[in-house]
Amino acid sequence: MHNIVARGNNLFAFLSSCTMALLAAIALSSFLFTPIPTGVVDITSLKVYNVNARRYRNRKQEVALVNFNLTADLNSLFHWNTKQVFVYLEAKYENTQGANNTVVIWDRIVRRKEDAHINFTGKNKYMFRELSTSFKNVPPANFSLKYNVMPWVGLLTYGEAARTSEPIEFPPVS
């Protein structure tokens, strides 16, 4: 009638279907609640310096140094389907040619709920430079703290935890 291979195949097909249905239910259940993380981004200083460009030693390029205070409570993002949360501070501005630029200047990976309260004071982790080599006549930048929730099962979710209350002007080169 049915040999052992056919019975094993039916059993594994049934178990695979049950596992996929369970994973789909887990992924869909992550959208049932809406987390509301809170935070404050305070830019204490923004300075612009001239440095040598990496590729061209005889060419100057402007680099911005941002000092900031960051406070965020990301506990609401952690639940049973959260593997880790990627948190980053980004600067969004428009250059003189009219192109919108978004630059990540600081980031952190939060792997545990116990570490989800962030209180950081410091400067940008990554170089913040304008591709047109100068911040002169560039409109003010908006700074925002954003997050990316990486679940065990399901889709990545993005959001914003904090934003500066008003845009920050780029000062002249010091």
Side-chain angles (χ1 to χ4, degrees), residues 115-159:
D115 301 331
H117 187 76
I118 298 172
N119 191 4
F120 182 79
T121 301
K123 61 180 182 171
N124 49 323
K125 186 176 181 181
Y126 304 111
M127 186 180 293
F128 183 15
R129 61 188 173 103
E130 170 58 34
L131 291 178
S132 66
T133 68
S134 177
F135 283 105
K136 187 177 181 180
N137 299 327
V138 171
N142 290 312
F143 292 86
S144 57
L145 180 68
K146 297 197 174 184
Y147 62 86
N148 178 1
V149 179
M150 298 174 193
W152 290 102
V153 176
L155 300 173
L156 300 175
T157 55
Y158 296 87

Side-chain angles (χ1 to χ4, degrees), residues 19 39 41 63 98 110-111 115 117 129-130 138 141 143 163-164:
T19 303
V41 175
V63 174
V110 181
R111 291 190 170 97
D115 301 331
H117 187 76
R129 61 188 173 103
E130 170 58 34
V138 171
F143 292 86
R163 178 179 284 274
T164 54

Side-chain angles (χ1 to χ4, degrees), residues 102-122:
T102 303
V103 180
V104 174
I105 61 173
W106 176 86
D107 65 357
R108 178 179 287 176
I109 296 174
V110 181
R111 291 190 170 97
R112 301 181 311 157
K113 188 173 185 175
E114 294 80 26
D115 301 331
H117 187 76
I118 298 172
N119 191 4
F120 182 79
T121 301

